[in-house]
Amino acid sequence: APALVIVYAVVMSLFAIDWAMSLEPHWFSTLFPAWFFMGAFWGGIVATALGSVLLKRTEPYADEHIGAQQLHDLGKLSFGFSIFWAYLMYSQLLVIWYGNLPEETSFVFWRLWGDWRPLSITVGVLVFFIPFWGLIWVKSKTTIFTFTTFLTVSIIGFWFERYLLVQPSL
């Protein structure tokens, strides 16, 4: 499993460079591949948690294997990765913005201050603020309805995030 995670990190980092960074040929960021990988990894954790909740609801035998403790653990993972995603995003923006290099700041400008600003704010709210404030409480991680709600919000936010990475470049 550790070797598979390392291979996954390298492959997703290369995909980030090939799929997203290559759309803006003059833009580069050393933190972007790590941020892209962690977003994809966290999206996998959220999808696994949603699958676990769905399995718990539909299959009678799943109750003995997927209990409140397992949901709580998946919620803690989702909570922790939401913080880490925001940390990497802020670190990337900080380096780009304070570097004040025109070829780097244009990528950020068109997404945060251009026509795409409402979607950028929506991504920040859906991917970080709502999961952070919702999953900070134990009860929201162990109650199936609230846990599913916060996971669904995160998945929708991930879709908007990937859309925001690609569409303004096109």
Side-chain angles (χ1 to χ4, degrees):
L4 185 62
V5 169
I6 291 169
V7 168
Y8 180 70
V10 169
V11 169
M12 283 307 292
S13 297
L14 292 174
F15 282 169
I17 294 167
D18 267 356
W19 290 346
M21 285 180 68
S22 66
L23 295 173
E24 295 279 340
H26 301 291
W27 177 72
F28 56 89
S29 171
T30 55
L31 282 172
F32 184 77
W35 175 74
F36 191 89
F37 157 71
M38 288 311 297
F41 189 74
W42 181 31
I45 290 172
V46 169
T48 301
L50 275 173
S52 299
V53 169
L54 181 65
L55 189 65
K56 184 174 174 60
R57 283 185 178 175
T58 58
E59 296 295 328
Y61 68 88
D63 277 338
E64 61 191 50
H65 299 292
I66 304 170
Q69 184 61 41
Q70 284 75 26
L71 294 179
H72 185 251
D73 289 343
L74 287 169
K76 287 189 291 188
L77 272 172
S78 295
F79 175 74
F81 277 108
S82 74
I83 295 170
F84 192 59
W85 178 89
Y87 166 73
L88 286 177
M89 178 61 145
Y90 178 73
S91 298
Q92 178 172 283
L93 290 177
L94 192 68
V95 168
I96 289 172
W97 197 255
Y98 279 111
N100 200 19
L101 301 170
E103 65 271 4
E104 290 186 36
T105 55
S106 66
F107 181 85
V108 176
F109 178 79
W110 290 117
R111 285 158 179 81
L112 295 180
W113 284 275
D115 294 334
W116 297 95
R117 184 176 188 170
L119 186 59
S120 295
I121 293 170
T122 303
V123 166
V125 167
L126 293 178
V127 177
F128 174 66
F129 287 109
I130 291 176
F132 177 81
W133 290 111
L135 294 174
I136 201 167
W137 314 107
V138 174
K139 188 80 170 163
S140 65
K141 290 181 267 205
T142 56
T143 306
I144 290 182
F145 176 75
T146 56
F147 189 51
T148 305
T149 301
F150 292 122
L151 293 175
T152 304
V153 164
S154 296
I155 286 285
I156 292 168
F158 284 134
W159 189 86
F160 283 143
E161 177 210 24
R162 299 303 183 193
Y163 181 79
L164 186 64
L165 286 176
V166 172
Q167 191 60 31
S169 300
L170 301 177

